[in-house]
Every structure is written in structure tokens, then in C-alpha cells.
Amino acid sequence: MNQIARSHLIMFLFALSFLVPSLEASEGDADPIYKTCLEDCEKSGCVGEMCFQHCKFSSDGKPIDGPWYLQEPLYQKWKQWDCRSDCRYHCMIAREEQRWKLGGKPIKYHGKWPFQRVYAIQEPAAVAFSAISLAIQFHGWLSFLILLNYKLPLRPDKKTYYEYTGLFHIYAILAMNFWFWSAVCHTRDVELTEKLDYSSAVALVGFSFILTILRTFDVRDEASRVMVAAPLIAFVMTHILYLNFYKLDYGLNTKVCMAMGVANLLIWGVWAGITSHPSRWKVWLFNVGGTIALLLEIYDFPPYKGFIDAHALWHAANIPLAYISWSFVRDDAVFRTSTLLKKTK
């Protein structure tokens, strides 16, 4: 293994050593001022001078919606803000303002940093970055399709020479699916959107791991591909079923995705160190960026001005990474096609 491959190996093992972060309860949940505010709000429907339509109660304590002209329009009910969620948000913001005036640092509430809403969107920066990543993935897939079907020669049966065409089509669909649900979940994280986000994330990372093995080891035989993919697909599907029907465990899902993500970077890094592929520098560039993005997920920090935290920056880092990866895939298709055409002559 040459020097470049060794340096990649050291960098990836360093990141791997931090995969298991310490677990701690959210400090804000136990804050007595926050808890008192939450209790008062759920009884009165108000935080300070601000009162919420969701928190109107009848004499028996049951919430009432009021007359139709005071109810929230149907086209806005997708937000699913109720009395408890509104109380949590505004008590959190009020408490954080008090802490800021006293020189305190932001703390987590119910496992999450205090973000500022924008038009009912919980994490506007993460939503914007997810939407851009979705657009980049679609553009990359479209350019890949145009390259294969209109710019590169086809076989006599009108199929492409590139042996990984179908696999990258599946990858593109899973990637766009993930970024779509990521944008939805960061807009409003209810149980359903969290399940869809976590499930689509592990499905994408799991398939990326399969694709990494098949491409770097040049597995072209269908039977061998099935032997490689079957156990990994079974593992990913079992994990998705666990998340959806047993326990929605964010910590476990993060560890599983990170483990497969580090394995992806490690395998691609070693491959780029020993291959003579003309676009191997793009793999090195992707691996450096991917390692930085991974560290952003590991080293969490509070949102700046209530908008951009480490996870939002991870979303931002994935925008250039998506562009680089599709650029390499296109180069790889050209390289493999030219190689196969030379062999047929």
C-alpha cells in the first residue's frame, strides 16, 4: 500500500475511533424554569403575553377548536403544531433568551438544540441544504443518463457498455428519496417523518456500501453480486424494521450509518491508492470532504444564532460531495466504456 493509501487509512481509523459518542440526557428537560413554563402553558395556553389557538380548553379540560373562522386553514395543518409542541417551543425560546442575557450557552431540549422557526419550519438551514442536495442528485442522475444514452456508444442490443448502470440508477433513486424525506423531517419532525428520514438514510448508506464493494472489487458476475448484496440487504432491512416497528433509536441508527459510511470511505481510499484510474483524484477529494463531513456529525455544537449547527453544516458539506461523486461516476462510465471497446476490437 503506497503512502497516500496509508494516510487515508490513518484518517479513517481516526474517525472510526470516535463513532461511539457519550450519551447524556438533555439538560434543558430538567431545567426547573423551563418545566414550570411548560406546565403553566399547558394549563393556560400562554407563554407570557403570547397565547395559542391550539391551547383553548372547555370546562372539562378538553381542547376545543373554536368557530371555523378561528381555526387554522386546512392547507396549514400539515405542520401538526399542537398545544404541547407550541408550548415546548416558546418556553424553550423564552428560557434561552433568559440564559443568553445571563451569559449562558445554548443547551438541548428533548434531545435537540434550540432552533428558531421560520414560517413554521423547524430547521430552515437544514431544509434548504437538503433541497439543494436533492437538486444536485437529480442533476447528476440526469447528466449520467444523457451521457450513457446519447454520448457514449451502445451495444448492438441498445444496452450500455458500462456494467454498473443499473446499480447507479438505484443509487440515484435512493439518494433523491433520502434528501426529500430529510427536507420534510427537518421541516417538521413528527414520528412518521422521523421514521421515513431514518429509514431512507440507512437504505441509502447500505446500498452505497454494496455499490462500493461491487465497484472497487470489480464484481461483474450476477451470481457473485447477489452473494455480496444479499446479506447486506438483509441486515439493512432488519434494521429498518427494527426502527419502524420496535424502537425508533436515533443513536443506534447514527452508529449504523456511520459505521457503513466509514467503511465506504476506507474501501474507496484504499482503491484510489492502488488503482490507475484517471479520475482517482476525485475519489481522494471526496474522501477528504467525506471525512470532514463525518467529523461534523461526531463533534456536535449548538446552532449559531439559532439557525446553523453542526448537522446543518453536514447537510451543506454534502452538496459539493454529491457533485464530485456524480462527476466521478460519469468519468468512470467513459473510462470503462473505452476500455471495453478496446478489448472488443
Side-chain angles (χ1 to χ4, degrees):
M1 186 183 299
N2 62 25
Q3 186 64 34
I4 295 176
R6 282 197 297 271
S7 64
H8 275 81
L9 178 60
I10 292 171
M11 187 163 52
F12 301 142
L13 292 178
F14 172 76
L16 184 61
S17 66
F18 291 94
L19 273 179
V20 184
S22 59
L23 298 177
E24 55 183 4
S26 298
E27 186 178 349
D29 302 359
D31 184 274
I33 298 177
Y34 170 77
K35 291 171 69 176
T36 300
C37 174
L38 195 60
E39 291 172 1
D40 292 343
C41 178
E42 291 181 352
K43 292 177 182 177
S44 66
C46 300
V47 175
E49 297 181 356
M50 184 179 298
C51 298
F52 315 114
Q53 175 66 28
H54 301 300
C55 297
K56 291 192 174 182
F57 303 95
S58 60
S59 57
D60 60 359
K62 294 182 180 180
I64 57 175
D65 292 329
W68 66 269
Y69 52 84
L70 292 178
Q71 294 180 29
E72 191 173 41
L74 285 174
Y75 68 87
Q76 292 185 358
K77 288 189 175 180
W78 60 268
K79 296 176 293 188
Q80 293 192 24
W81 295 112
D82 54 18
C83 180
R84 185 171 182 80
S85 59
D86 270 333
C87 286
R88 280 186 174 185
Y89 173 74
H90 289 283
C91 283
M92 175 188 71
I93 295 300
R95 181 61 182 132
E96 282 300 300
E97 288 178 356
Q98 294 172 358
R99 289 175 52 80
W100 179 77
K101 290 177 181 178
L102 296 173
K105 295 182 179 180
I107 57 176
K108 288 187 175 182
Y109 296 81
H110 307 286
K112 297 184 179 181
W113 290 115
F115 285 93
Q116 293 281 354
R117 289 184 195 169
V118 175
Y119 296 109
I121 297 175
Q122 283 182 288
E123 300 179 40
V127 172
F129 294 143
S130 294
I132 295 172
S133 289
L134 173 59
I136 294 294
Q137 289 289 346
F138 178 74
H139 174 269
W141 184 36
L142 185 62
S143 61
F144 178 63
L145 282 170
I146 293 172
L147 173 69
L148 289 176
N149 293 287
Y150 298 101
K151 295 183 178 180
L152 293 178
L154 298 173
R155 296 177 185 271
D157 58 1
K158 301 301 180 181
K159 293 183 179 179
T160 63
Y161 281 94
Y162 190 49
E163 310 98 320
Y164 304 95
T165 299
L167 293 172
F168 277 108
H169 287 335
I170 297 173
Y171 168 83
I173 293 170
L174 290 175
M176 290 185 289
N177 176 70
F178 164 66
W179 288 115
F180 173 80
W181 288 116
S182 174
V184 171
C185 183
H186 287 89
T187 298
R188 179 72 174 98
D189 62 336
V190 296
E191 183 179 2
L192 176 61
T193 58
E194 285 184 341
K195 286 182 176 180
L196 291 167
D197 182 36
Y198 298 171
S199 299
S200 59
V202 74
L204 173 60
V205 177
F207 186 79
S208 298
F209 188 35
I210 294 171
L211 186 53
T212 294
I213 295 173
L214 298 182
R215 178 61 191 92
T216 56
F217 289 93
D218 199 19
V219 181
R220 285 175 279 178
D221 178 67
E222 290 298 327
S224 300
R225 288 185 175 186
V226 171
M227 291 177 64
V228 171
L232 292 173
I233 292 174
F235 168 76
V236 170
M237 290 302 300
T238 302
H239 180 69
I240 290 174
L241 291 172
Y242 174 88
L243 292 175
N244 284 274
F245 298 105
Y246 183 72
K247 183 181 180 182
L248 188 60
D249 193 331
Y250 173 78
L252 175 63
N253 194 57
T254 300
K255 292 173 186 176
V256 169
C257 289
M258 280 191 173
M260 290 191 290
V262 169
N264 276 333
L265 293 176
L266 178 60
I267 294 172
W268 276 114
V270 173
W271 179 84
I274 62 177
T275 188
S276 58
H277 198 289
S279 295
R280 59 189 179 277
W281 66 271
K282 293 184 180 180
V283 176
W284 296 334
L285 183 61
F286 180 90
N287 278 7
V288 172
T291 303
I292 294 172
L294 184 65
L295 293 176
L296 286 172
E297 282 287 84
I298 296 171
Y299 294 105
D300 197 12
F301 57 81
Y304 177 72
K305 300 293 186 180
F307 291 105
I308 298 179
D309 68 337
H311 186 64
L313 290 179
W314 175 84
H315 281 263
N318 276 276
I319 296 171
L321 291 179
Y323 183 84
I324 294 168
S325 63
W326 278 111
S327 177
F328 171 77
V329 171
R330 291 193 298 270
D331 291 349
D332 191 46
V334 173
F335 176 70
R336 291 296 305 166
T337 299
S338 62
T339 301
L340 290 172
L341 286 174
K342 289 176 182 179
K343 290 181 179 180
T344 58
K345 293 181 179 179

